[in-house]
């Protein structure tokens, strides 16, 4: 029995490379609550390298009512140690450590404790300590994830100065076919094909790429050298294209029509990639630059001399006979290899100019194959958010009926409430009624601080939050644990695109919203 | 059995806050528990029986979630045994459990870990249980990957609802079906109130059958590695001239020797056609139609389902109306909406589907059209019209074969006539009624 069998269903998503990154990561959890253990469960199962639980609590009766990683016989024992042991049972390849210490104490007295973790996941940490932790991690480029499971409401916040993604793996990526701007080798191969000599059977076996390139060229020759641009022209081109079909059922022609609008789009580099190429870090690489930005900088040179990104070199399956398909596939592949080799030498010369170590050829290759989907996400620190939140987003969301932003505001107000009274509103049955007005004042003060009208947060939401009294329902913790672990996997593997920056799940009606606050 | 009062008074203190306290978003009939009448807590601990279908990736999560939501009477049905590739997410199983019943191992684990919880395992197919069995549950949660099983339980629960002659539904006979499904980073959770909301069958189009490759491509013009693997499955297994170390009639996806033979055969086919990229892993993926699965998505979807189950039983909050789509590929995207009932739904609809058809259509073509129509997804349909068998499966099959080349009018199907279609994919004795509407030929 090997790990590749056990991990088969996930390797099909993030591959050996993503798995290796996951296995190198060490995640620190602050407080072994239900939310904390549910999140770690989904990280231990797919095989992170290690985790550490920091928690000074003892296993309480209430833990037995919402936390799967405690047992009745462990009542009164260190919660850090108990959850750590039961989580480790899930996967013998994962190392688990427990630290019986109050996270707030560590933050205030020994903050360098956090310097070697790959990521810190904090839950139920009071605001002041959280801001201190956030500032330290931000400075040290360590991702911080903050989560909360509060009654029927879930909260998630991700923060790291800069997160680089080579494999963003979009859902339905466009193929990189260059039909509208064929490269020399593709153009020449198309010229060589004589459609007139083919019988109708043979004609239905020509890949649509050739057909498109040929007929666009023919069209251009009678339209001042211009490809179809307007809607009317495209409609007319469609008729023209179909008139060449030997019969109405020809699948290659049908494929051409299906893809026509896509392939007639003028070639352009997406605005996201363009923004990366114009980034200060790409324009002025230094000896401090990391591999990613050196490669972006080399990409910038490539684009400056060619006007296009390196070709990815993959050809999707399309209707054709085996031989023509393989031949066309080779043309794309070889061009992909040629572009890669040119790009690699640009990288090499930049690296030696800056006096840096070589970048591994595997990494350069992966970068080169994915240049259309590069992504850099930059996050605000928590301190910045608390001081200067994106109030225009907050206000416009609060003005929507049934919005989930009210819960963000309520949770922030609850943090303020906790700072003042060192308890959560409605935590004790006998204080539910008297805590509600206190929470209202805390909310209004918070809104006022950021010049937001207090009419935008209706009392009923605060009454609902007071009702919860900081209770942790297992379902909400498990749901948020699923989402948080997924975001942590994205941050650790540098694949897919993580949330930027805040997420609220509303378990009352099962809706959710993401905000950049 | 231990109860909240005698054992650990503070254990359910968190749940207590939402069931002992009223709130602005609770269901209209919500009556918070009091010390004198803890009705909801008693319901969770003894009256509400919940059925979980599937003890796989979703099922393990669902069982844990229900147990930690205070439910104590839980049944789980799953006929599968544990495979090593389950271990990356099905967290109630360990390496030593490989080969054992999923339902039994999962139930034993939950009962051991969550004191007071009583999960009963059934290692069988859902079709082996009768209506009386299903009637005992307050609610059913399905965490299945099989569309067929989901259609079956949906049909059964819709049929259990008693509707009087005025069309009024007896609310006591409604057993909600909470259904979850995942694929990689995506999933969906939904609440079906039989005869009230849309049902699973209404949304069949949202679950299109898997892509199939054209047979002629597989046979004549393979281009990508998948074509070669399909060839090995479709033609290689049947080819008597190809030596095999096993009986091809007993081909088994889970047998590594069989899989290796398939891989070698596909590789040879690929080499003959200059195609590269056939790997053992890809061969397995194509042959078993493997769908990627991860712990995090299963956790999210299962919890969304159990949250709805808890709210339905306790009435302590609003509810999902009635479908949530989830996609975690780029950020965290969800879309919650009301999936509407489909006119002419074979299971919950009362209307008849009108089906436009050209009068020159032969029965063969008609059969082809309706079996590939994603709204119905028939497997082996039988067709009757005006009391006459047009096309039948089973014993009567041979007698209807001569009808195949005839056109519908030749078979005395008139404009506006109703064809009744039964199919093994439809639960019980349900049938689709299709009104034929001839298109004017030009
Ligand atoms: Zn229906």
């Amino acid at each position: 029995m090997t790990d590749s069998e056990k991990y088969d269903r996930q390797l099909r998503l993030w591959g050996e490379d993503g798995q290796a990154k996951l296995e190198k990561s060490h995640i620190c959890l602050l407080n072994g609550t239900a939310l904390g253990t549910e999140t770690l469960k989904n990280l231990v199962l797919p095989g992170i390298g290690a985790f550490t639980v920091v928690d000074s609590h003892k296993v309480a009766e209430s833990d037995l009512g919402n936390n799967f990683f405690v047992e009745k016989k462990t009542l009164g024992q260190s919660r850090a140690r108990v959850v750590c042991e039961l989580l480790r049972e899930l996967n013998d390849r994962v190392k688990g450590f427990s630290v019986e210490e109050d996270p707030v104490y560590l933050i205030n007295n020994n903050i360098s404790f956090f310097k070697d973790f790959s990521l810190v996941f904090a839950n139920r940490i009071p605001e002041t300590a959280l801001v201190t932790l956030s500032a330290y991690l931000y400075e040290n480029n360590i991702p911080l994830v903050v989560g909360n499971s509060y009654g029927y409401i879930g909260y998630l916040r991700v923060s790291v100065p800069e997160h680089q993604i080579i494999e963003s793996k979009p859902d339905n990526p466009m193929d990189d076919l260059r039909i509208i701007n064929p490269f020399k080798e593709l153009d020449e191969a198309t010229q060589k094909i004589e459609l007139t000599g083919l019988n109708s059977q043979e004609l239905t076996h020509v890949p649509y790429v050739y057909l498109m390139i040929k007929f666009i060229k023919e069209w251009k020759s009678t339209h001042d050298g211009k490809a179809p641009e307007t809607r009317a022209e495209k409609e007319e081109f469609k008729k023209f294209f179909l008139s060449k079909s030997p019969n109405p059922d020809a699948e290659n022609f049908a494929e051409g029509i299906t893809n026509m609008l896509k392939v007639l789009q003028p070639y352009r580099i997406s605005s996201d990639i363009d923004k990366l190429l114009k980034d200060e870090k790409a324009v002025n690489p230094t000896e401090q630059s990391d591999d990613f930005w050196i490669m972006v900088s080399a990409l910038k040179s490539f684009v400056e001399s060619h006007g296009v990104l390196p070709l990815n070199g993959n050809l999707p399956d399309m209707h054709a006979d085996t031989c023509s398909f393989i031949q066309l596939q080779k043309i794309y592949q070889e061009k992909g290899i040629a572009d890669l080799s040119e790009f690699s030498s640009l990288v090499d010369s930049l690296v030696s100019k800056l006096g840096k170590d070589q970048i591994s050829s595997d990494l350069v290759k992966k970068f080169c194959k994915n240049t259309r989907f590069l992504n850099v996400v930059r996050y605000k620190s928590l301190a910045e958010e608390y001081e200067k939140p994106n109030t225009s987003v907050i206000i416009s969301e609060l003005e929507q009926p049934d919005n989930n932003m009210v819960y963000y505001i309520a949770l922030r107000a609850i943090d303020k409430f906790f700072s003042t009274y060192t308890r959560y509103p409605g935590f004790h049955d006998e204080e539910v009624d008297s805590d509600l007005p206190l929470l209202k004042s805390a909310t209004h003060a918070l809104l006022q601080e950021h010049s937001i009208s207090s009419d935008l947060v209706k009392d009923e939401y605060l009454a609902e939050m007071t009702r919860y009294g900081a209770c942790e329902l297992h379902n909400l913790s498990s749901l948020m644990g699923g989402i948080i672990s997924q975001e942590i996997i994205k941050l650790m593997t540098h694949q897919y695109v993580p949330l930027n920056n805040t997420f609220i799940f509303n378990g009352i009606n099962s809706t959710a919203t993401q905000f950049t606050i | 059995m231990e109860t909240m009062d005698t054992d650990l008074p503070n254990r359910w203190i968190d749940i207590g806050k939402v069931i002992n306290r009223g709130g602005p978003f609770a269901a209209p009939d919500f009556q918070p528990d009091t010390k004198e009448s803890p009705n909801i807590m008693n319901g969770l601990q003894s009256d509400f029986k919940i059925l979980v279908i599937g003890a796989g990736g979703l099922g393990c999560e669902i069982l844990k979630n229900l147990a930690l939501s205070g439910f104590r009477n839980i049944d789980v049905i799953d006929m599968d045994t544990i495979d090593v590739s389950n271990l990356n997410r099905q967290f109630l199983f360990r390496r030593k459990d490989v080969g054992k019943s999923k339902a039994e191992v999962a139930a034993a684990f939950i009962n051991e870990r969550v004191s007071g919880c009583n999960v009963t395992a059934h290692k069988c197919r859902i079709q082996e249980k009768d209506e009386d069995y299903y009637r005992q549950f307050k609610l059913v949660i399905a965490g299945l990957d099989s569309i067929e099983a989901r259609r079956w339980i949906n049909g059964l629960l819709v049929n259990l609802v008693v509707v009087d002659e005025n069309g009024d539904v007896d609310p006591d006979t409604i057993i909600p079906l909470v259904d979850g499904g995942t694929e990689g980073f995506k999933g969906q959770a939904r609440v079906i109130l039989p005869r009230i909301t849309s049902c699973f069958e209404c949304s069949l189009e949202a679950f299109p059958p898997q892509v199939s490759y054209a047979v002629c491509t597989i046979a004549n013009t393979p281009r990508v590695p998948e074509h070669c693997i399909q060839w090995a499955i479709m033609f290689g297994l049947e080819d008597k001239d190809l030596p095999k170390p096993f009986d091809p009639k007993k081909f088994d996806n889970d047998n590594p020797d069989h899989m290796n033979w398939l891989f070698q055969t596909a590789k040879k086919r690929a080499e003959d056609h200059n195609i590269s990229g056939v790997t053992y892993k890809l061969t397995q993926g194509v042959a078993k139609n493997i769908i990627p699965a991860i712990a995090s998505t299963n956790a999210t979807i299962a919890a969304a389902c159990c949250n709805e189950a808890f709210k339905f039983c306790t009435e302590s909050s609003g509810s999902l109306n009635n479908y949530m789509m989830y996609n975690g590929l780029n950020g965290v995207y969800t879309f919650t909406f009301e999936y509407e009932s489909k006119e002419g739904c074979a299971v919950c609809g009362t209307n008849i589907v009108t089906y436009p058809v050209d009068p020159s259509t032969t029965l063969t073509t008609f059969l082809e059209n309706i079996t590939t129509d994603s709204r119905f997804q028939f497997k082996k349909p039988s067709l009757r019209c005006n009391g006459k068998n047009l096309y039948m499966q089973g014993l009567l099959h041979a007698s209807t074969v001569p009808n195949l080349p005839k056109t519908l009018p030749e078979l005395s199907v008139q404009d506006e006539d109703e064809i009744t279609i039964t199919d093994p994919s439809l639960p019980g004795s349900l049938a689709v009624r299709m009104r034929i509407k001839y298109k004017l030929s030009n």
Side-chain angles (χ1 to χ4, degrees):
Chain A
M1 241 182 277
T2 63
D3 283 344
S4 69
E5 275 177 83
K6 176 169 141 181
Y7 293 146
D8 179 80
R9 299 300 185 271
Q10 70 203 39
L11 290 174
R12 287 170 197 271
L13 290 170
W14 54 69
E16 301 285 351
D17 185 60
Q19 186 66 29
K21 289 207 175 84
L22 209 55
E23 287 175 12
K24 267 193 222 122
S25 56
H26 187 165
I27 311 294
C28 177
L29 165 67
L30 307 186
N31 287 329
T33 59
L35 178 65
T37 56
E38 288 300 306
T39 303
L40 279 187
K41 173 193 83 213
N42 305 325
L43 293 169
V44 171
L45 286 165
I48 48 165
F51 67 89
T52 293
V53 183
V54 183
D55 192 342
S56 60
H57 292 84
K58 307 286 181 212
V59 174
E61 286 181 21
S62 60
D63 289 317
L64 295 177
N66 66 15
N67 197 329
F68 195 68
F69 295 92
V70 298
E71 288 172 304
K72 202 171 170 184
K73 63 178 185 222
T74 63
L75 265 175
Q77 298 178 18
S78 152
R79 190 167 72 179
R81 211 178 60 233
V82 170
V83 302
C84 174
E85 267 166 38
L86 290 180
L87 281 163
R88 264 172 34 194
E89 277 182 9
L90 297 174
N91 191 340
D92 49 19
R93 292 291 305 270
V94 179
K95 291 195 189 75
F97 306 95
S98 56
V99 176
E100 276 178 72
E101 188 81 78
D102 179 6
V104 175
Y105 179 85
L106 278 181
I107 292 168
N108 291 330
N109 297 287
N110 184 15
I111 192 127
S112 61
F113 170 84
F114 297 101
K115 75 176 189 312
D116 293 325
F117 293 111
S118 326
L119 181 144
V120 178
F121 170 38
N123 83 106
R124 297 275 169 108
I125 300 293
E127 184 176 307
T128 339
L130 190 60
V131 169
T132 310
L133 175 68
S134 159
Y136 177 81
L137 295 176
Y138 203 81
E139 209 179 279
N140 287 280
N141 218 3
I142 298 168
L144 168 67
V145 173
V146 184
N148 201 353
S149 165
Y150 203 98
Y152 282 116
I153 303 301
Y155 162 86
L156 159 62
R157 168 72 152 91
V158 177
S159 174
V160 59
E162 181 180 288
H163 179 69
Q164 305 163 344
I165 311 158
I166 295 176
E167 295 169 278
S168 63
K169 303 197 171 173
D171 217 350
N172 290 302
M174 288 249 282
D175 297 312
D176 191 11
L177 293 179
R178 312 273 168 102
I179 287 174
I180 197 78
N181 58 334
F183 44 92
K184 191 168 127 267
E185 297 80 358
L186 178 60
D187 201 31
E188 283 169 3
T190 312
Q191 297 308 317
K192 281 198 200 120
I193 293 179
E194 278 298 340
L195 298 181
T196 41
L198 303 179
N199 66 32
S200 71
Q201 162 85 5
E202 287 163 339
L203 189 52
T204 60
H205 281 160
V206 178
Y208 87 85
V209 168
Y210 288 135
L211 300 174
M212 267 297 165
I213 295 174
K214 247 187 183 350
F215 297 142
I216 291 173
K217 195 165 226 173
E218 199 176 321
W219 168 279
K220 278 178 167 174
S221 68
T222 58
H223 291 79
D224 302 328
K226 284 192 343 205
E229 280 164 19
T230 66
R231 226 172 128 162
E233 282 168 349
K234 285 175 185 168
E235 232 3 84
E236 209 183 313
F237 177 75
K238 182 175 168 182
K239 283 187 200 135
F240 167 71
F241 183 81
L242 280 177
S243 72
K244 308 283 189 179
S245 177
N247 64 65
D249 297 330
E251 287 173 89
N252 53 344
F253 279 84
E255 246 172 1
I257 293 303
T258 310
N259 291 294
M260 185 186 83
L261 291 181
K262 265 190 278 176
V263 303
L264 284 179
Q265 291 288 333
Y267 180 91
R268 64 178 197 89
I269 292 172
S270 78
S271 55
D272 287 347
I273 300 302
D274 194 52
K275 220 170 100 196
L276 275 191
L277 297 179
K278 291 190 175 118
D279 194 288
E280 172 61 22
K281 290 184 175 179
V283 177
N284 292 313
T286 67
E287 58 268 39
Q288 267 83 46
S289 299
D290 58 28
D291 290 353
F292 181 86
W293 284 108
I294 287 176
M295 290 190 286
V296 177
S297 198
L299 183 64
K300 186 174 163 5
S301 315
F302 187 98
V303 170
E304 275 162 2
S305 49
H306 297 281
V308 295
L309 295 168
L311 185 82
N312 154 302
N314 290 342
L315 182 69
D317 184 32
M318 58 186 64
H319 201 82
D321 61 276
T322 307
C323 196
S324 340
F325 179 81
I326 303 280
Q327 185 206 16
L328 183 60
Q329 197 178 34
K330 272 220 172 83
I331 294 170
Y332 278 90
Q333 246 166 24
E334 278 164 13
K335 175 65 176 163
I337 292 168
D339 281 3
L340 170 61
S341 117
E342 186 178 340
F343 176 71
S344 303
S345 45
L346 286 169
V347 172
D348 286 347
S349 61
L350 185 54
V351 160
S352 59
K353 196 175 116 196
L354 297 170
K356 306 254 315 174
D357 290 340
Q358 285 287 323
I359 302 174
S360 88
S361 59
D362 284 347
L363 183 59
V364 174
K365 183 175 175 186
K366 194 200 294 168
F367 184 97
C368 187
K369 296 276 169 204
N370 285 286
T371 52
R372 288 182 306 152
F373 310 120
L374 302 173
N375 201 327
V376 169
V377 191
R378 288 178 175 138
Y379 293 89
K380 250 186 200 176
S381 72
L382 279 181
E384 196 187 346
E385 173 193 328
Y386 290 177
E387 244 172 67
K388 289 179 291 179
N390 195 339
T391 44
S392 62
V393 167
I394 295 177
I395 292 170
S396 72
E397 289 287 338
L398 285 176
E399 283 168 347
Q400 310 288 322
D402 299 321
N403 66 81
N404 286 326
M405 181 62 85
V406 287
Y407 296 108
Y408 166 77
I409 297 292
L411 286 169
R412 292 275 294 113
I414 287 169
D415 278 343
K416 301 266 182 212
F417 184 107
F418 189 90
S419 305
T420 312
Y421 304 103
T422 56
R423 65 160 198 276
Y424 289 106
F427 188 78
H428 302 290
D429 286 342
E430 56 282 4
E431 284 165 350
V432 173
D433 293 337
S434 53
D435 277 351
L436 177 57
L438 300 178
L439 179 61
K440 279 184 201 168
S441 319
T443 308
H444 295 168
L446 173 73
L447 292 171
Q448 205 165 20
E449 191 190 323
H450 300 296
S451 314
I452 301 169
S453 159
S454 54
D455 298 342
L456 289 172
V457 178
K458 295 207 177 62
D459 290 351
E460 55 183 358
Y461 296 103
L462 302 177
E464 179 75 356
M465 295 302 267
T466 309
R467 172 199 188 195
Y468 297 154
C471 72
E472 213 187 321
L473 303 175
H474 182 79
N475 290 326
L476 261 290
S477 296
S478 186
L479 186 146
M480 289 308 295
I483 292 172
I484 294 170
S485 57
Q486 165 192 285
E487 294 309 294
I488 293 177
I489 287 169
K490 291 184 198 170
L491 289 164
M492 292 297 99
T493 58
H494 289 261
Q495 294 183 20
Y496 307 97
V497 183
L499 166 80
N500 183 9
N501 52 25
T502 302
F503 174 81
I504 295 283
F505 184 81
N506 172 341
I508 301 164
N509 55 18
S510 209
T511 59
T513 317
Q514 29 184 349
F515 315 105
T516 307
I517 298 174
Chain B
M1 193 162 60
E2 53 186 9
T3 68
M4 176 178 101
D5 300 321
T6 57
D7 176 60
L8 304 178
N10 290 321
R11 181 174 181 190
W12 302 108
I13 200 168
D14 286 69
I15 287 175
K17 284 176 180 157
V18 293
I19 66 177
N20 300 337
R21 299 173 177 181
F25 305 119
D29 294 337
F30 178 60
Q31 290 290 339
D33 269 5
T34 57
K35 271 214 170 65
E36 298 70 40
S37 55
N39 295 331
I40 302 172
M41 204 60 201
N42 287 342
L44 290 171
Q45 303 207 326
S46 49
D47 305 337
F48 305 155
K49 274 198 95 166
I50 308 289
L51 172 64
V52 178
I53 304 180
L58 285 166
C60 285
E61 287 282 346
I62 291 168
L63 289 169
K64 169 198 64 132
N65 296 345
L66 291 175
L68 289 174
S69 298
F71 292 102
R72 291 193 160 177
N73 290 311
I74 305 167
D75 272 28
V76 58
I77 305 183
D78 197 317
M79 64 173 304
D80 279 354
T81 51
I82 298 160
D83 181 79
V84 64
S85 67
N86 301 146
L87 299 179
N88 79 328
R89 60 198 186 283
Q90 302 179 12
F91 61 95
L92 303 176
F93 311 143
R94 303 286 179 269
R95 287 196 178 226
K96 64 175 170 40
D97 300 321
V98 169
K100 293 182 193 161
S101 152
K102 286 189 176 179
E104 285 163 13
V105 175
F109 196 111
I110 295 286
N111 293 342
E112 164 78 24
R113 176 68 60 88
V114 184
S115 62
C117 191
N118 183 20
V119 182
T120 308
H122 303 269
K123 182 183 191 279
C124 66
R125 287 159 45 82
I126 51 172
Q127 291 85 349
E128 287 169 41
K129 301 278 183 194
D130 61 12
E131 290 193 351
D132 282 338
Y133 172 77
Y134 288 104
R135 240 188 283 271
Q136 63 180 312
F137 296 103
K138 170 93 174 167
L139 179 142
V140 176
I141 307 188
L144 293 158
D145 48 17
S146 147
I147 300 295
E148 231 171 288
R150 289 152 91 181
R151 290 175 75 180
W152 189 88
I153 188 67
N154 172 68
L156 181 123
L157 294 176
V158 173
N159 273 355
L160 285 186
V161 178
V162 174
V163 184
D164 68 15
E165 56 275 21
N166 301 324
D168 290 331
V169 168
D170 176 357
D172 292 338
T173 58
I174 294 174
I175 302 174
L177 172 63
V178 184
D179 177 77
T182 68
E183 179 172 348
F185 284 93
K186 299 178 192 172
Q188 80 285 328
R190 68 191 298 188
V191 176
I192 294 168
L193 299 175
R195 296 273 177 215
I196 308 282
T197 65
S198 59
C199 77
F200 188 80
E201 199 79 8
C202 290
S203 60
L204 213 49
E205 278 172 290
F207 303 91
Q210 61 173 116
V211 277
S212 53
Y213 301 100
V215 177
C216 88
T217 295
I218 307 296
N220 306 318
T221 57
R223 298 176 294 268
V224 292
E226 286 85 351
H227 294 155
C228 304
I229 298 163
Q230 282 292 351
W231 182 86
I233 297 167
M234 291 166 74
F235 301 102
L237 276 174
E238 305 211 331
D239 189 340
K240 291 192 176 60
D241 300 332
L242 276 176
K244 300 174 195 68
F246 56 87
D247 176 356
K249 286 195 203 72
K250 291 187 182 144
F251 178 73
D252 175 9
N253 270 335
D254 292 323
N255 183 320
D257 293 335
H258 298 194
M259 195 53 75
N260 192 44
W261 176 88
L262 205 64
F263 164 56
Q264 297 299 345
T265 309
K267 206 169 111 197
K268 174 83 177 36
R269 168 97 176 152
E271 278 160 7
D272 292 347
H273 290 83
N274 277 320
I275 297 168
S276 59
V278 173
T279 60
Y280 186 80
K281 191 182 168 102
L282 185 71
T283 308
Q284 254 191 331
V286 173
K288 293 179 161 185
N289 183 30
I290 290 177
I291 293 166
I294 46 175
S296 49
T297 316
N298 282 331
T300 305
I301 293 301
C305 290
C306 293
N307 186 41
E308 293 310 314
F310 179 77
K311 293 185 298 177
F312 177 85
C313 292
T314 60
E315 303 188 45
S316 61
S317 182
S319 62
L320 162 63
N321 183 24
N322 49 34
Y323 199 110
M324 180 181 77
M325 263 169 42
Y326 175 80
N327 186 341
L329 279 172
N330 186 340
V332 185
Y333 174 81
T334 61
F335 180 52
T336 302
F337 65 102
E338 185 175 349
Y339 208 115
E340 300 204 1
S341 301
K342 192 181 75 181
E343 186 191 331
C345 168
V347 171
C348 75
T350 44
N351 296 314
I352 303 166
V353 205
T354 304
Y355 202 84
V357 53
D358 196 290
S360 64
T361 306
T362 60
L363 184 59
T364 308
T365 314
F366 183 71
L367 280 167
E368 251 173 49
N369 291 345
I370 62 170
T371 42
T372 51
D373 191 319
S374 65
R375 288 176 297 168
F376 309 116
Q377 302 183 20
F378 294 127
K379 299 238 153 60
K380 286 182 160 184
S382 296
L383 280 60
R384 290 169 57 83
C385 182
N386 300 325
K388 221 178 92 179
N389 295 335
L390 296 182
Y391 185 72
M392 301 301 280
Q393 307 288 342
L395 287 174
L396 295 170
H397 180 252
S399 69
T400 54
V401 167
N403 290 344
L404 285 172
K406 294 184 187 160
T407 66
L408 294 184
E410 282 168 359
L411 292 163
S412 330
V413 178
Q414 309 292 325
D415 195 32
E416 303 275 331
D417 269 359
E418 204 178 295
I419 295 185
T420 308
I421 305 168
T422 50
D423 189 84
S425 66
L426 293 168
S429 52
L430 283 171
V432 171
R433 292 155 71 196
M434 205 176 256
R435 180 170 293 137
I436 296 302
K437 183 82 198 136
Y438 285 128
K439 289 190 260 190
L440 295 176
S441 41
N442 31 357

